[in-house]
Amino acid sequence: MTLTPPNRAPTPPRSSRTAPRRSRPVRVAEEIKDWVVERNLKKGDRLPSETELIAQFGMAKGTIREAMRILEAQGLIETRTGPGGGSFIGEVTADRAKALLANYFYFTELSVADIYQLRKALEPELVASLAGKLDAAQIAELEAVIAQYPEPAQDAEEEREQHIASLVFHRRLANFSNNPLLAFVVSFMARILTDLTVYRQLYDPPNRELYEKGTAYQKDLIAALKDGRAEDARAIMRAHMETAEALMQLQEAKVLRRFIAE
């Protein structure tokens, strides 16, 4: 397989450059990515051998290997050993992408209010787009999630577990969307709330009224989705998000600064 470097734009004058100079392995890794894009390679397609890459770029074996390690760490290639082995196009999983994005937010002061500002904007539109379009199996999935918490929590720890379980409901909805970007963002926010959120003031004993209100929203939403009532679904989710945000404020919820696993 011949690896032809992609066409490059003219090098800008030195005075206009602001980015730091990249190492040789990084530059080679970027050129390989450009080559993959130009050829529209898919998951499982084989990349040139190490010998071919060395000859193509005129780089030392160590530089090529480091470039491939960079691509492998990014999830863009997979290396297999043994007969039929080599380097192949990989696929960045949603879990890896979420973990990397969460790592970015480790260095910022992300708040619960930040998350709910986005949830209130996106999730009502998500459910409105799904109204009347879910099949019986998808509706059954949502109903099965609610069935996991049929009774109010008996103590603070069980209440926290119900909070986490209820977020699965929103991740399921996200997975049903035909818009991959919307699905990813909604699912990512649910992941942050699941893995990085702590509650300083969980109710003890738990608040039965809040439990009943939350489950009622979810059941009403399922009914609206079944009936194809997009405006009702949008309004129900909006009210659900506003109630959930108010509850988290009362419970002094906080997003932790730590990394999440892939």
Side-chain angles (χ1 to χ4, degrees), residues 98 126 173-177 179-188:
K98 289 170 190 173
L126 168 68
L173 284 169
N175 290 339
F176 297 153
S177 173
N179 182 328
L181 181 58
L182 180 60
F184 178 85
V185 174
V186 171
S187 181
F188 173 69

Side-chain angles (χ1 to χ4, degrees), residues 148-163 202-208 211-212:
Q148 293 178 18
Y149 36 92
E151 299 292 336
Q154 298 302 306
D155 54 41
E157 181 58 31
E158 187 177 351
E159 184 184 41
R160 181 181 181 281
E161 291 174 359
Q162 287 191 358
H163 276 314
L202 283 170
Y203 290 109
D204 197 3
N207 189 316
R208 184 183 183 93
Y211 162 84
E212 292 175 347

Side-chain angles (χ1 to χ4, degrees), residues 130-141:
L130 295 175
K133 298 179 181 178
L134 301 184
D135 59 32
Q138 291 170 323
I139 293 293
E141 274 194 56

